[in-house]
Amino acid sequence: MSKTPDSGKSEDDRPSTVEQYLVKDPERFALNMARMIEQAGKAASAWAEPREKGDVRDHVAEPVVDMVKTFSKLSEYWLSDPQRALEAQTRLFSGYMTVWANSIQRLSDGGEDAEDAVKPEPGDKRFQDPEWGRNAFFDFLKQAYLVTSRWANELVEHADGLDEHTRHKAGFYVKQVSNAISPSNFILTNPELFRETIASNGENLVRGMKMLAEDIAAGKGDLKLRQADYSSFEIGKNLATTPGKVVGRSDVAEILQYDPATETVLKRPLLICPPWINKFYILDLNPQKSFIRWAVEQGHTVFVISWINPDERHGTKSWEAYIREGLQYGLDTIEKATGEQDVNAVGYCVGGTLLAAALALLAQEGDHRIKSATFFTTQVDFTHAGDLKVFVDEEQVAAVEKAMNEKGYLDGTKMATAFNMLRSGDLIWPYVVNNYMRGKDPLPFDLLYWNADSTRMAAANHSFYLRNCYLENRLSQGEMELAGRVVSLKDVTIPVYNLASKEDHIAPALSVFLGSKYFGGEVDYVLAGSGHIAGVVNPPAAQKYHYWTGGKPTGDFDEWLAKATNHPGSWWSHWQRWIEAKDDSRVPARKPGKHMKTLGDAPGTYVKVRV
């Protein structure tokens, strides 16, 4: 907060002035508007050209139709009872009247004692500019928006006649619409954007439209929203830099083995099965954040599955193929490289779901090489599967399958957009505003580079996942069919370390907790602080967050949490002690390539294939 030399008042305390919103150089402003329109034309061309050539087919109508259907069911509940409809309208009208009264008071006496009708949620960064409070016009917009969005959320919460899936979708769609129409997203209704546009005579909009055209071109007709300065990063140079070798390659996976960092290593090698929805190097972003490097330094012989970024050749690769040519191939490769059959395994997110299903299948087939399983934010039961369930019902899955069957895969941008929508207030609209309205390049950020490094989904694989897990919940019910067998998690009797994250929006902590009861052996449930990524990628040296441990994961989740022990910092060291408690015997360190030919340096070639 700075002081002005003439008044001695801070900028936040100064009264709002009209001058800051008046164009000072009309000629230059008009020229920049013309340049902006020229760049907007290039953006439109980048969008239209691939559609005219038939390279891109729009499927926008499908989610819009679903949203309209959902809102129609919500409206039907409120409008079917006149008394109920009147009460809802009265609540909204009352909120507007409070906003109007506050605005009148501000205009008449400065409004120092006027209480806002509604305040932004804690942590809401959209309305931090002082003008949102001291300028009557922008304050009115802010409060009217907050009253409306809060009212819309309450309509969903109090719609007793909706089934749970429809209520979930309605709440999600209301959130998306509310985030999209926020006055902070538009030039004329955001005081900061308004001032920047006037101060630069519209040059920010010229830069923004140029970036928009570039991002549509980069998405080959679809908007590929840039969230970071990607030019600062290169896989193998300053991302995924832990030294190692590619020791195996199949149609769907490369197997990486990392160089040892200790003279002796744990006898049991460690096989990591990451999600194929994203790339494995979330566990090896940089030396300070790398779980892989840290595990090597603790004495693990670490092997990682690096999944192919599939194309039309992989359309028929099913879950069984990912088990045989990924997980089992990894176990075979470990045996060749080390001579060891007993292995500790880690699965992350959908990689963990695949690992759980594979363990159930391998138990029936008599393959008992995996002696312990660790799951990072993994769901095996999808009853409480979070906001991703919004995208999964019979109509939507059928539409996705139709789109996938055209090419043999689902475009990576589609999956990336879905994940970004789960946190649109953090991962979409701030970047729309920063990039295309302020005309500013986003900052370099390794995590957001990884987030934007999209992967395609092989059609057969993704269809099996959506139907068997999200839609029909077959794994936990003992009904999933793999390799001609019906598999059951009760057959998984090895020790399980089941890690959830407290604020996870993809694999909710409750969902992971309830999934623990389906395994046939001992399960240690551990709850990390933060979310799906930060809760997992939390090195001990950072001294961030907390984790909770407690009794068996049975009964009520909230009761378990209330009795659990809170530990400061990272769960990584706790996991290491858990692993060593199962088998802490050690052998001389193993160097990649000693017993088999290597195929190149880590991180390999598959991870470098971009969408």
Side-chain angles (χ1 to χ4, degrees):
M1 192 180 298
S2 60
K3 300 280 187 178
T4 58
D6 55 334
S7 67
K9 292 184 178 181
S10 70
E11 291 182 355
D12 287 6
D13 294 333
R14 285 183 301 166
S16 179
T17 59
V18 175
E19 285 76 11
Q20 60 187 324
Y21 301 112
L22 298 180
V23 175
K24 308 298 190 300
D25 189 341
E27 185 176 344
R28 188 177 172 191
F29 189 87
L31 177 62
N32 281 329
M33 290 301 98
R35 294 171 59 203
M36 180 199 72
I37 293 171
E38 180 184 358
Q39 293 297 330
K42 293 179 180 179
S45 176
W47 182 87
E49 185 175 349
R51 286 164 175 79
E52 292 170 353
K53 293 180 178 179
D55 297 333
V56 172
R57 294 187 184 181
D58 281 319
H59 300 282
V60 175
E62 291 150 5
V64 171
V65 167
D66 186 70
M67 183 172 67
V68 170
K69 287 181 179 178
T70 302
F71 284 160
S72 295
K73 292 178 182 179
L74 180 64
S75 300
E76 183 180 347
Y77 170 79
W78 287 103
L79 297 177
S80 62
D81 183 335
Q83 180 65 28
R84 197 158 50 206
L86 180 61
E87 290 175 358
Q89 292 170 358
T90 300
R91 285 197 302 272
L92 180 61
F93 183 71
S94 175
Y96 285 157
M97 289 303 296
T98 303
V99 172
W100 182 253
N102 288 350
S103 298
I104 296 297
Q105 188 173 349
R106 281 182 184 278
L107 290 171
S108 60
D109 60 10
E112 295 181 2
D113 298 325
E115 185 69 25
D116 286 349
V118 60
K119 295 182 182 295
E121 294 290 337
D124 190 339
K125 300 177 181 178
R126 294 174 296 177
F127 305 108
Q128 293 181 333
D129 189 276
E131 287 285 279
W132 287 112
R134 69 187 178 194
N135 184 294
F137 171 71
F138 293 115
D139 181 67
F140 176 84
L141 290 175
K142 176 192 72 176
Q143 290 195 57
Y145 163 75
L146 292 173
V147 164
T148 306
S149 58
R150 186 100 21 118
W151 174 79
N153 284 324
E154 290 173 352
L155 288 184
V156 177
E157 292 174 8
H158 300 306
D160 298 329
L162 295 181
D163 63 89
E164 280 309 306
H165 184 57
T166 301
R167 184 195 305 279
H168 192 175
K169 290 202 295 184
F172 180 81
Y173 288 140
V174 163
K175 181 180 178 181
Q176 299 308 314
V177 173
S178 294
N179 286 340
I181 65 171
S182 170
S184 59
N185 295 337
F186 304 98
I187 298 291
L188 297 180
T189 57
N190 181 328
E192 188 175 7
L193 290 177
F194 204 149
R195 289 198 308 271
E196 288 187 20
T197 302
I198 296 302
S200 70
N201 286 299
E203 290 182 4
N204 57 317
L205 301 182
V206 179
R207 295 192 303 269
M209 284 299 103
K210 182 175 184 292
M211 293 172 68
L212 179 63
E214 292 170 352
D215 290 353
I216 294 175
K220 299 176 182 177
D222 290 321
L223 177 62
K224 189 172 184 179
L225 180 66
R226 71 178 87 179
Q227 297 170 319
D229 175 8
Y230 305 140
S231 65
S232 301
F233 301 104
E234 184 179 347
I235 296 172
K237 297 293 185 182
N238 53 6
L239 296 170
T241 59
T242 301
K245 298 291 184 181
V246 180
V247 293
R249 183 179 292 125
S250 72
D251 282 346
V252 301
E254 288 183 331
I255 309 300
L256 312 178
Q257 180 185 354
Y258 290 91
D259 295 342
T262 54
E263 291 186 3
T264 63
V265 294
L266 289 168
K267 190 171 186 295
R268 288 185 186 174
L270 180 69
L271 175 62
I272 299 177
C273 180
W276 55 84
I277 288 175
N278 298 107
K279 295 183 178 178
F280 82 88
Y281 65 90
I282 186 59
L283 297 174
D284 192 26
L285 278 176
N286 62 47
Q288 292 72 41
K289 298 177 184 175
S290 174
F291 176 82
I292 290 171
R293 184 181 292 262
W294 180 87
V296 168
E297 291 170 350
Q298 307 314 302
H300 292 275
T301 305
V302 177
F303 291 80
V304 172
I305 297 171
S306 175
W307 299 107
I308 189 75
N309 201 339
D311 54 36
E312 60 276 0
R313 298 169 298 170
H314 305 92
T316 59
K317 293 291 185 180
S318 64
W319 258 42
E320 184 184 350
Y322 272 61
I323 291 172
R324 303 300 191 199
E325 301 174 40
L327 266 167
Q328 273 193 301
Y329 178 64
L331 294 173
D332 295 341
T333 304
I334 288 174
E335 194 169 345
K336 290 177 183 178
T338 67
E340 297 291 341
Q341 287 194 331
D342 293 357
V343 173
N344 296 315
V346 171
Y348 192 172
C349 188
V350 66
T353 310
L354 181 78
L355 173 61
L359 287 170
L361 173 63
L362 299 183
Q364 287 193 28
E365 295 180 341
D367 186 340
H368 302 292
R369 286 178 287 181
I370 296 177
K371 298 302 183 184
S372 79
T374 297
F375 297 107
F376 295 166
T377 59
T378 292
Q379 296 179 103
V380 296
D381 178 78
F382 289 75
T383 305
H384 302 283
D387 283 345
L388 278 176
K389 286 194 77 173
V390 168
F391 302 107
V392 184
D393 53 37
E394 181 57 44
E395 290 184 11
Q396 292 185 88
V397 170
V400 169
E401 288 173 334
K402 180 181 178 182
M404 289 192 297
N405 289 335
E406 293 175 1
K407 296 181 178 180
Y409 59 85
L410 181 69
D411 284 325
T413 52
K414 300 292 191 295
M415 211 59 210
T417 299
F419 278 110
N420 285 338
M421 284 178 68
L422 299 182
R423 292 175 54 202
S424 61
D426 296 321
L427 295 177
I428 295 180
W429 295 109
Y431 296 99
V432 169
V433 170
N434 180 78
N435 301 355
Y436 310 134
M437 297 184 191
R438 301 182 73 188
K440 293 187 176 181
D441 289 313
L443 298 173
F445 189 11
D446 52 7
L447 178 59
L448 289 177
Y449 176 93
W450 167 84
N451 187 60
D453 193 3
S454 305
T455 54
R456 308 179 192 96
M457 303 293 112
N461 176 303
H462 199 51
S463 176
F464 184 94
Y465 177 50
L466 292 177
R467 288 195 172 277
N468 282 267
C469 295
Y470 278 94
L471 191 59
E472 298 165 357
N473 201 18
R474 288 178 170 269
L475 180 57
S476 64
Q477 304 308 309
E479 299 173 352
M480 180 180 282
E481 293 185 23
L482 283 168
R485 298 173 183 265
V486 179
V487 299
S488 171
L489 293 176
K490 291 297 181 186
D491 295 332
V492 181
T493 57
I494 60 175
V496 167
Y497 188 99
N498 208 13
L499 178 80
S501 291
K502 195 173 185 182
E503 300 167 16
D504 198 334
H505 59 289
I506 294 173
L510 172 62
S511 183
V512 178
F513 179 86
L514 295 178
S516 299
K517 71 179 181 180
Y518 294 101
F519 293 102
E522 177 185 344
V523 177
D524 285 88
Y525 178 84
V526 178
L527 181 63
S530 196
H532 193 71
I533 302 300
V536 174
V537 184
N538 181 28
Q543 299 182 343
K544 293 175 68 175
Y545 312 128
H546 293 75
Y547 68 94
W548 290 261
T549 59
K552 291 184 177 181
T554 57
D556 182 77
F557 171 68
D558 291 329
E559 290 180 4
W560 180 92
L561 182 57
K563 297 176 183 177
T565 303
N566 185 330
H567 309 270
S570 172
W571 55 270
W572 289 14
S573 299
H574 178 268
W575 171 80
Q576 179 68 14
R577 293 191 295 271
W578 183 88
I579 285 286
E580 291 180 344
K582 308 308 174 190
D583 186 350
D584 63 354
S585 55
R586 293 194 172 234
V587 297
R590 309 167 176 118
K591 190 171 179 62
K594 185 175 182 181
H595 300 292
M596 60 192 302
K597 183 181 178 181
T598 62
L599 304 175
D601 292 330
T605 58
Y606 282 4
V607 74
K608 295 180 180 179
V609 176
R610 296 182 65 86
V611 172

